[in-house]
Amino acid sequence: MTSPQPAETRTRGRSSQTATLAEIAREAGVSAPTVSKVLNGRADVAPATRARVEELLRAHGYRRRRAEATRSPLIDLVFHELESAWAMEVIRGVENVARDTGLSVVLSESAGRLTPGRTWADQVAARRPHGVVLVLSGLDESQRALLTSRSIPFVVMDPAGDPGADVPSIGATNWQGGLAATRHLVELGHTRIGAISGPTRMMCSRARIDGYRAALDTAGLPADPALIRTGDFHHETGYRQGLELLRRPDRPTAVFAGNDLQALGLYEAARELGLRVPEDLSVVGFDDLPVARWVGPPLTTVRQPLTEMAEAAVRLVLDLGREGGSAAATRVELATSLVVRSSTAPPTA
């Protein structure tokens, strides 16, 4: 007669749908209430015990049924960095949908890191929000498993890197935007066109500079590496890199800046060197922040629909959290468009 399997083997053989908290508790050597505390993000669990239970929850692929998950009327919004008008456009979009659906927004920042810290994930699990929207950020494997096991859906907006085929995300047509910006300068007659990109670690900045190169290549113009600088999407970098570009003896007559803030830094560099925009230098930005309309001269830029992207991200995360909502990953890209103002003109020489 075949002897029965040990409890551990039987439990690990079960599917994620049939593994119970009692079985996980037995395997972990703790009580079912302790497993429940871990699931609810309670602080009164020893770190070693929490780690053991979390590992078993991941191993079983355990997910709370949505009916079990009592949600707080919250949306968690996470920025990797929170310090510009760009972030305000995103917050406005999230608030628009949250207000219409009776939810409040919890705002946090990961201090420049592309993934939040572990304590953040525990806090989210304890809050049990309707969903999480991460902006230019992502989650590591353990954080994703933690949120998944609590049936807390998440969406990445404008992902910094490849979020993975199984992660829902909302983005914009960055490549097309870079192409449109550079094509506009080419059509004005510029042949020496510089660029100040964003961080190379970010997918959006790489796509924009790829669009810039594609527009030059299509026009039969070489992409001169000496005219391409790497920035960080901040005003100060646009200023510093702008000075370097504009002090060259063969300076560009036009520059595509990776975002509006770098374009404004470039404005400052041009003024310091006695160059006029657009008479001596044409400038195109990216984002179409409200300030783009107010500066002198008003900035030609690529409109990235930030508010609409944020609204779409919240609607998607709410759809994923509804009973019967699709668990399939979704990648949505909203269209960018060129907004021509007064910062671009044909070259004078």
Side-chain angles (χ1 to χ4, degrees), residues 172 285-288 301-308 335-339:
F286 201 109
D287 283 336
D288 195 27
T301 187
V302 176
R303 181 177 185 272
Q304 180 175 210
L306 293 170
T307 300
E308 293 90 337
T336 55
S337 57
L338 182 69
V339 180

Side-chain angles (χ1 to χ4, degrees), residues 13 17 25 61 63 70 72 94 145 149 158 173 210 221 223 225 248 307 327 347:
Q17 300 303 313
R63 294 189 62 160
T70 304
S72 301
V94 173
S149 70
D158 209 6
T173 55
D210 285 347
L221 298 173
R248 295 179 58 86
T307 300

Side-chain angles (χ1 to χ4, degrees), residues 7-8 10-11 14 20-32 35 56:
E8 178 176 349
R10 292 199 310 271
T11 303
R14 289 177 178 264
T20 66
L21 292 188
E23 290 170 324
I24 291 172
R26 185 166 57 250
E27 193 170 341
V30 299
S31 66
V35 176
L56 287 169

Side-chain angles (χ1 to χ4, degrees), residues 214-251:
L216 293 180
D217 182 64
T218 301
L221 298 173
D224 186 348
L227 299 185
I228 302 174
R229 302 302 168 97
T230 301
D232 60 5
F233 285 153
H234 293 294
H235 174 279
E236 294 78 8
T237 303
Y239 167 72
R240 290 196 308 271
Q241 301 285 23
L243 284 178
E244 291 186 14
L245 282 174
L246 300 180
R247 281 173 173 159
R248 295 179 58 86
D250 56 348
R251 68 171 180 83

Side-chain angles (χ1 to χ4, degrees), residues 55-230:
E55 175 57 33
L56 287 169
L57 289 168
R58 284 195 294 273
H60 285 289
Y62 181 85
R63 294 189 62 160
R64 247 185 170 189
R65 294 191 301 273
R66 286 188 174 95
E68 294 179 83
T70 304
R71 296 194 179 103
S72 301
L74 303 171
I75 290 290
D76 264 75
L77 175 60
V78 186
F79 286 90
H80 92 293
E81 202 170 56
L82 184 60
E83 58 175 44
S84 73
W86 189 95
M88 292 305 300
E89 295 300 298
V90 174
I91 293 170
R92 180 175 293 113
V94 173
E95 285 282 3
N96 287 346
V97 179
R99 182 173 56 251
D100 290 345
T101 52
L103 302 175
S104 299
V105 179
V106 177
L107 183 63
S108 58
E109 182 197 48
S110 56
R113 298 187 303 270
L114 294 185
T115 57
R118 171 67 199 197
T119 56
W120 167 85
D122 289 335
Q123 291 164 0
V124 171
R127 281 194 292 270
R128 301 191 301 279
H130 273 61
V132 177
V133 175
L134 300 113
V135 184
L136 280 172
S137 299
L139 298 174
D140 62 30
E141 185 177 345
S142 65
Q143 291 167 337
R144 288 169 58 180
L146 180 65
L147 297 189
T148 299
S149 70
R150 274 63 168 185
S151 290
I152 300 174
F154 54 89
V155 171
V156 180
M157 176 184 155
D158 209 6
D162 181 4
D166 58 341
V167 176
S169 62
I170 304 288
T173 55
N174 289 291
W175 184 90
Q176 184 62 42
L179 180 80
T182 311
R183 181 178 287 163
H184 170 66
L185 296 171
V186 169
E187 290 174 348
L188 287 172
H190 294 277
T191 57
R192 288 192 60 74
I193 302 171
I196 304 174
S197 78
T200 55
R201 64 177 178 165
M202 292 187 178
M203 255 191 342
C204 61
S205 60
R206 294 199 302 270
R208 292 170 196 176
I209 208 70
D210 285 347
Y212 155 87
R213 289 192 176 98
L216 293 180
D217 182 64
T218 301
L221 298 173
D224 186 348
L227 299 185
I228 302 174
R229 302 302 168 97
T230 301

